[in-house]
Amino acid sequence: MIEFIADNLAPIMFVSLVVFLLLGYPVAFSLAANGLLFFIIGVELAPLSDSINLSWPLLNALPDRFWGVMSNETLLAIPFFTFMGIVLEKSGMAEDLLDTIGQLFGPIRGGLAYAVIFVGALLAATTGVVAASVIAMGLISLPIMLRYGYDRRVASGVIAASGTLAQIIPPSLVLIVLADQLGRSVGDMYAGALIPGLVLTGLYTGYIMLMSIIRPDSMPALPLEARSLGSGVTSLAVALVVAAAIAYGAHVFLYPTHGENADILGGTVGVLFIYIVALLDKGLKVNAMSRLAQQVIIVLIPPLALIFLVLGTIFLGIATPTEGGAMGAVGALILAAAKGRLNLDVIRQALAATTRLSSFVLFILIGARVFSLTFYGVNGHLWVEHLLVSLPGGETGFLIAVNILVFFLAFFLDFFELAFIIVPLLAPAADKLGIDLIWFGVLLGINMQTSFMHPPFGFALFFLRSVAAKVPYIDKITGKKIAPVTTGQIYWGAVPFVCIQLVMVALTIMLPQMVMHYKGDASTVDPSTITIDVPGFGGQGLGLPDNGGGLGLPGGLQLPGGNPLEQPPAAPDGGQNGGTNGGAGGQPAPAAPANDLSQPPSFN
């Protein structure tokens, strides 16, 4: 029995960790306690099994492993992006966006749902924090959607799902952690995840469009009296055309001096122009634009500028993700100050939330380092790799099995736990099978996004439940009594979007180029096809074998006339040796000078 335990210590250790987590113990302490407990067991059982490589001196490696976690500059981006997201939430940006975009899409069926998806994508690209997005949209949009007759399951589902877009659309915190665990660049992970994030947003939109046709009563259009900004889509379209024309003109003007950067600079000029015009039109009360056009331009451009400041500089190679996060934090402070909502209380709340999340991540990482020290010491990584590589179906079978595993584990674990416990075990097997780790990371990120929407443990569902009405209430605008939103309605509303997530996982597997575009158009070189020919510089005079007029090496480099150390004298007839001795035009080549190797070389 003892020998069996010693030979199977790795799977026993893994199962024990799962039991610890299911019992509800904190993840960081479960990892550390499990690692230390099995380290003691492993040291005692080491003489009984060749697969256990543990000894007491190995504990001296822990301080270095802890220092490696704390000195990781990549993870420094997490507190920056968290701080940026909390400040933007407190600045009221989400409220302004939802109100404005809701007015823009209000006249069509499902307009409020489209607005929630669009704003969810924008918040994801500026905050990267699921809790902030879901809570903000739940507080602002859910009462409005209920007021105007939206189906409760549709309303709650679209809010929960749109909030989780922050998991896959850069600058996602999940992508930072995945890049760190996979040993890949955060910038490459961001570039690879951008198109899948936008495609997923499009799938959400397509579902709402389908539902508005099949069940039009579940998502009515806003009534005319609710459209406080009035109409004015034509004015907005004219403003956008003018901005595009100015951007194109600036591009043509700047191209001779700025080259490829002219398109970015031209677009910046066009956006700044229309933004300044909208501000002046509203401030001076000229009203050349409609109120709707003014509001859309003034509200949308600042967050879009912040997105460019963060993601644009990262994708252009101007800033690292950590530097981009720092600029985003400063930009969020500027936006909050411009709205007059920056005060000491906002900063205090943002710092407190940032400290909590950063400490949470750090403690899990430290616990994971303790666990991995023991797990690797009992060859657990080899056990997992052999188990996964041996799956039938090769690469496809591996991807299907891993995604099913992650999908079911997401019922019980959140994305941080999955990223720190499961991903380090999966990455070596994926790499051995030749799977691109950026593609693999984005695929796991899309799958782990469902952990926020899984009934009954999805965190996005908990966030929405915390702000949704639990008892009937009287609406302030209409004076009608509004029924509460039940937990079952929230859960059932999330199910269609979980199915959409699974469709997105399948699309990412079938269409890997959605992610692989991050490599650009650079051609790849197979190292096995590279040959290096070393030239020769002599022959028999150097004591090396000669293959016919040169040094006995492949591709030997020879001067005219063969071996320079054994150059024959010029032919007396001046012509017969001209061809063989390199003479031009039939003239004999000059005799080579004598080479006295006992003297220093002469450079006359």
Side-chain angles (χ1 to χ4, degrees):
M1 183 64 180
I2 298 298
E3 288 80 3
F4 175 81
I5 294 175
D7 291 334
N8 296 276
L9 198 59
I12 294 173
M13 182 180 179
F14 185 78
V15 172
S16 299
L17 175 63
V18 174
V19 172
F20 267 101
L21 295 174
L22 292 179
L23 290 175
Y25 287 98
V27 179
F29 300 122
S30 297
L31 286 167
N34 193 274
L36 290 175
L37 175 62
F38 277 89
F39 188 93
I40 297 172
I41 297 173
V43 170
E44 296 299 325
L45 297 181
L48 302 177
S49 176
D50 295 334
S51 63
I52 300 178
N53 303 303
L54 295 176
S55 60
W56 294 114
L58 190 60
L59 286 176
N60 295 327
L62 280 180
D64 286 338
R65 294 171 72 84
F66 293 165
W67 174 250
V69 172
M70 293 184 288
S71 60
N72 190 337
E73 293 186 2
T74 300
L75 296 178
L76 190 61
I78 291 177
F80 282 135
F81 285 124
T82 304
F83 180 82
M84 180 181 75
I86 300 300
V87 169
L88 288 175
E89 178 201 353
K90 302 298 181 184
S91 71
M93 184 187 74
E95 182 177 352
D96 293 341
L97 283 171
L98 285 168
D99 180 59
T100 303
I101 305 303
Q103 294 282 332
L104 180 63
F105 289 105
I108 61 176
R109 291 189 183 275
L112 290 176
Y114 292 130
V116 167
I117 294 173
F118 185 72
V119 173
L122 276 178
L123 292 178
T126 50
T127 65
V129 182
V130 171
S133 299
V134 174
I135 290 174
M137 291 192 294
L139 286 171
I140 300 163
S141 292
L142 187 57
I144 301 175
M145 298 173 87
L146 298 181
R147 177 185 304 155
Y148 296 112
Y150 269 67
D151 184 273
R152 282 164 170 71
R153 288 179 295 181
V154 173
S156 57
V158 75
I159 290 174
S162 300
T164 61
L165 288 172
Q167 294 302 102
I168 193 61
I169 294 180
S172 163
L173 301 183
V174 172
L175 298 179
I176 296 175
V177 174
L178 285 174
D180 176 71
Q181 294 299 302
L182 293 170
R184 291 297 184 265
S185 162
V186 177
D188 287 345
M189 191 70 77
Y190 279 178
L194 186 59
I195 290 180
L198 296 177
V199 171
L200 184 59
T201 305
L203 291 178
Y204 287 172
T205 306
Y207 170 72
I208 295 300
M209 184 181 298
L210 181 65
M211 289 296 294
S212 67
I213 297 172
I214 297 175
R215 296 178 54 200
D217 294 337
S218 65
M219 48 185 73
L222 277 181
L224 187 61
E225 63 272 14
R227 303 172 201 167
S228 58
L229 294 179
S231 59
V233 177
T234 304
S235 175
L236 178 62
V238 171
L240 293 178
V241 169
V242 171
I246 292 175
Y248 179 75
H251 164 76
V252 173
F253 178 77
L254 295 171
Y255 187 80
T257 55
H258 292 81
E260 294 181 354
N261 290 332
D263 52 354
I264 298 175
L265 295 174
T268 303
V269 171
V271 169
L272 282 177
F273 173 81
I274 200 65
Y275 182 65
I276 293 172
V277 169
L279 286 176
L280 293 175
D281 189 52
K282 184 177 181 179
L284 300 176
K285 297 183 179 179
V286 177
N287 295 327
M289 297 181 181
S290 66
R291 288 182 59 204
L292 180 64
Q294 288 177 357
Q295 191 71 5
V296 168
I297 293 171
I298 293 173
V299 168
L300 271 184
I301 287 181
L304 291 175
L306 186 63
I307 292 171
F308 175 76
L309 179 68
V310 176
L311 297 181
T313 54
I314 294 173
F315 290 156
L316 292 175
I318 299 173
T320 65
T322 302
E323 294 165 347
M327 290 191 295
V330 174
L333 290 173
I334 294 173
L335 286 182
K339 291 179 176 292
R341 299 182 182 179
L342 183 63
N343 52 52
L344 190 59
D345 186 54
V346 168
I347 295 176
R348 186 185 298 113
Q349 292 179 37
L351 289 175
T354 301
T355 303
R356 281 196 299 270
L357 181 62
S358 301
S359 301
F360 173 73
V361 172
L362 186 63
F363 271 99
I364 290 182
L365 266 176
I366 289 175
R369 288 293 185 267
V370 178
F371 177 84
S372 64
L373 178 70
T374 304
F375 197 68
Y376 278 62
V378 297
N379 286 329
H381 60 299
L382 298 179
W383 167 69
V384 173
E385 181 179 317
H386 176 72
L387 184 67
L388 295 174
V389 172
S390 303
L391 290 171
E395 178 183 321
T396 304
F398 169 81
L399 290 174
I400 293 173
V402 164
N403 278 284
I404 292 175
L405 172 67
V406 171
F407 178 78
F408 282 105
L409 286 176
F411 277 94
F412 312 102
L413 306 176
D414 72 1
F415 74 93
F416 276 129
E417 297 161 1
L418 289 170
F420 292 136
I421 299 172
I422 303 301
V423 172
L425 303 179
L426 301 178
D431 194 38
K432 189 170 183 177
L433 288 170
I435 297 173
D436 183 89
L437 290 186
I438 295 292
W439 177 47
F440 187 61
V442 172
L443 191 61
L444 290 182
I446 297 171
N447 200 328
M448 284 191 287
Q449 185 179 343
T450 61
S451 69
F452 278 86
M453 291 189 293
H454 273 320
F457 303 114
F459 280 89
L461 308 182
F462 292 157
F463 297 146
L464 185 58
R465 174 70 281 175
S466 68
V467 297
K470 300 179 181 65
V471 295
Y473 66 95
I474 302 299
D475 185 69
K476 296 178 181 180
I477 304 298
T478 61
K480 297 180 181 179
K481 188 176 182 179
I482 305 295
V485 178
T486 65
T487 302
Q489 289 169 339
I490 294 176
Y491 285 172
W492 281 111
V495 169
F497 292 94
V498 173
C499 297
I500 292 174
Q501 292 283 145
L502 298 180
V503 170
M504 189 66 216
V505 170
L507 287 176
T508 307
I509 294 176
M510 293 187 295
L511 303 172
Q513 195 55 37
M514 282 196 299
V515 177
M516 300 300 288
H517 72 91
Y518 81 92
K519 290 186 174 182
D521 298 327
S523 59
T524 57
V525 178
D526 184 1
S528 63
T529 63
I530 300 175
T531 58
I532 301 176
D533 293 334
V534 180
F537 295 95
Q540 298 169 359
L542 297 179
L544 296 173
D546 184 66
N547 293 330
L551 185 64
L553 293 172
L557 179 64
Q558 303 159 29
L559 296 176
N563 192 334
L565 300 183
E566 296 182 357
Q567 185 81 319
D573 60 20
Q576 294 179 358
N577 291 331
T580 59
N581 293 335
Q587 298 298 321
N595 291 288
D596 187 357
L597 300 181
S598 65
Q599 298 297 323
S602 174
F603 299 100
N604 292 333

